[in-house]
Amino acid sequence: GHLVNHKWENAMTLDKSSWGFNRLASLSEYLTPQELISELVTTVSCGGNLLVNLGPTADGRILPIFEERLTQMGEWLDVNGEAIYSSKPWRVQNDTTSGFVWYTSHSDTVYAISLEWPSSGMILLGAPKGSSSTKVTLVGYGAVDAKASPSGLTISLPVITPDQRPCQWAYAFSLQGVE
């Protein structure tokens, strides 16, 4: 992704092959929650708005799979909305060191949104320049350890089970005191 100089919108559909109702669609033809959240994060990181289409049935009903996906996105936003709502693109959109982290910003806070929970327990962010006063918070959880170095900012993930994580699918880190 890259930043453009004008407002833009990502109009996309939950059904990977149709903009309307497709009664023959299989489950694999719908975006997963991970794919939907990833689309939201990358779009907002690059300064865009996300427009999600879903095809209702002929009599106007919304399929349970669509309802489930929208509910899952809402649950994710309940935890991580501060990294999305009223945010602006940061000076870097995607972290090239990790490849799975996207950035947004709001006021003096930078948000690093990781689309993965690395099994190594660490995330190296190459774009933010931290200092001894840098504070890092896993949104919905609390403060986490981070260490600034010439190569970037290394975040130590808390040692918690997947059920103890504040959400699923993607994880927002609030970075304060970074350049």
Side-chain angles (χ1 to χ4, degrees):
H2 66 280
L3 193 59
V4 294
N5 294 351
H6 54 81
K7 294 191 179 287
W8 64 279
E9 186 164 73
N10 177 0
M12 46 83 68
T13 181
L14 288 176
D15 183 330
K16 296 177 185 177
S17 60
S18 175
W19 280 79
F21 174 67
N22 179 0
R23 68 182 173 161
L24 301 177
S26 65
L27 187 59
S28 65
E29 293 180 72
Y30 298 112
L31 291 180
T32 65
Q34 178 73 41
E35 291 169 324
L36 180 59
I37 300 300
S38 177
E39 197 69 35
L40 172 66
V41 168
T42 57
T43 298
V44 172
S45 173
C46 294
N49 294 317
L50 184 64
L51 172 65
V52 180
N53 174 70
L54 48 96
T57 62
D59 61 354
R61 288 181 291 118
I62 304 299
L63 292 180
I65 188 69
F66 294 143
E67 183 180 345
E68 179 183 59
R69 290 298 182 268
L70 295 175
T71 299
Q72 290 165 327
M73 185 166 64
E75 289 169 352
W76 186 85
L77 284 165
D78 283 345
V79 174
N80 299 287
E82 69 182 74
I84 301 294
Y85 299 125
S86 300
S87 69
K88 297 193 179 330
W90 191 47
R91 66 175 173 81
V92 174
Q93 282 66 63
N94 179 237
D95 197 282
T96 56
T97 302
S98 68
F100 54 85
V101 175
W102 293 80
Y103 295 101
T104 63
S105 65
H106 187 265
S107 300
D108 294 334
T109 302
V110 173
Y111 292 95
I113 306 170
S114 176
L115 301 178
E116 297 178 10
W117 187 278
S119 59
S120 67
M122 310 285 257
I123 299 176
L124 174 60
L125 304 176
K129 303 303 175 209
S131 67
S132 59
S133 64
T134 297
K135 293 187 183 348
V136 178
T137 302
L138 172 56
V139 175
Y141 179 82
V144 295
D145 292 332
K147 182 178 180 192
S149 70
S151 59
L153 186 66
T154 302
I155 298 174
S156 297
L157 300 175
V159 180
I160 55 178
T161 65
D163 289 345
Q164 294 171 315
R165 295 177 190 165
C167 59
Q168 299 178 59
W169 310 300
Y171 310 92
F173 294 87
S174 167
L175 314 177
Q176 296 184 331
V178 297
E179 294 179 16

